[in-house]
């Protein structure tokens, strides 16, 4: 099942699908595809589900690129924000199981925290190790 088909099969996200990186809005410059023809679309998860999960710590975006689904959280990269992003990641994993099983079944999934500004989390720090062990990659931008 393609990224677009998985989004279409997800009632809470189907109306949020956008071509290319359009769902990322002003943050589309944080993702650099090497071949734009391989971009399968994007979805703003946070906006699409905010009315249903009003008080939840929601994850931001998902994009499909060359057969891989990238889940992206754009957030300030400070050590004090690691717990917040991990809480959002926990919400995302539950959301995928409960509300987006087709998206969850995508064979290749990657999780990225893209810093909205600078990166104040040092490599090798306890916070960086915590992120790495959870499966989240932290970077200033995502190069595909």
């Amino acid at each position: 099942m393609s990224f677009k088909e998985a989004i279409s099969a997800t009632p809470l996200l189907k109306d949020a699908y956008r071509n290319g990186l359009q769902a990322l809005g002003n943050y589309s410059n944080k993702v650099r595809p090497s071949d734009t023809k391989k971009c399968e679309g994007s979805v703003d998860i946070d906006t699409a589900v905010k009315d249903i999960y009003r008080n939840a710590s929601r994850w931001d975006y998902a994009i499909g690129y060359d057969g891989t689904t990238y889940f992206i959280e754009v957030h300030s990269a400070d050590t004090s924000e690691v717990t917040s992003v991990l809480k959002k990641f926990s919400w995302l994993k539950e959301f995928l199981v409960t509300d987006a099983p087709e998206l969850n079944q995508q064979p290749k999934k990657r999780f990225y925290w893209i810093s909205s500004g600078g990166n104040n989390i040092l490599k090798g720090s306890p916070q960086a190790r915590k992120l790495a062990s959870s499966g989240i990659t932290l970077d200033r931008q995502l190069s595909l």
Side-chain angles (χ1 to χ4, degrees):
M1 177 178 288
S2 72
F3 176 79
K4 185 175 183 178
E5 290 169 336
I7 296 299
S8 294
T10 304
L12 294 178
L13 299 179
K14 66 180 182 170
D15 294 334
Y17 174 84
R18 299 292 179 268
N19 290 321
L21 301 174
Q22 291 177 7
L24 279 72
N26 291 335
Y27 291 126
S28 63
N29 65 342
K30 295 283 188 180
V31 178
R32 301 286 172 120
S34 58
D35 183 351
T36 56
K37 293 177 184 164
K38 293 181 179 179
C39 192
E40 302 165 24
S42 56
V43 64
D44 181 343
I45 298 170
D46 183 32
T47 300
V49 303
K50 69 180 178 184
D51 290 338
I52 294 164
Y53 290 102
R54 192 174 316 273
N55 297 318
S57 294
R58 301 175 303 273
W59 197 262
D60 286 336
Y61 307 103
I63 64 169
Y65 182 82
D66 197 23
T68 300
T69 301
Y70 294 86
F71 294 92
I72 301 167
E73 175 66 27
V74 180
H75 201 91
S76 57
D78 296 308
T79 54
S80 62
E81 294 299 316
V82 171
T83 301
S84 175
V85 170
L86 289 173
K87 188 174 180 183
K88 289 172 178 258
F89 185 52
S90 179
W91 175 87
L92 175 65
K93 290 189 292 185
E94 180 64 28
F95 172 78
L96 290 172
V97 169
T98 305
D99 295 303
E102 293 83 357
L103 192 56
N104 194 40
Q105 292 171 6
Q106 293 295 291
K108 297 180 191 173
K109 295 188 289 286
R110 304 286 182 270
F111 304 93
Y112 283 85
W113 174 0
I114 304 298
S115 62
S116 56
N119 180 356
N120 297 313
I121 300 173
L122 299 175
K123 289 183 180 183
S125 68
Q127 295 85 357
R129 288 194 304 272
K130 197 174 202 180
L131 288 170
S133 70
S134 73
I136 299 173
T137 301
L138 172 62
D139 213 331
R140 293 183 74 152
Q141 74 176 32
L142 176 58
S143 295
L144 302 171

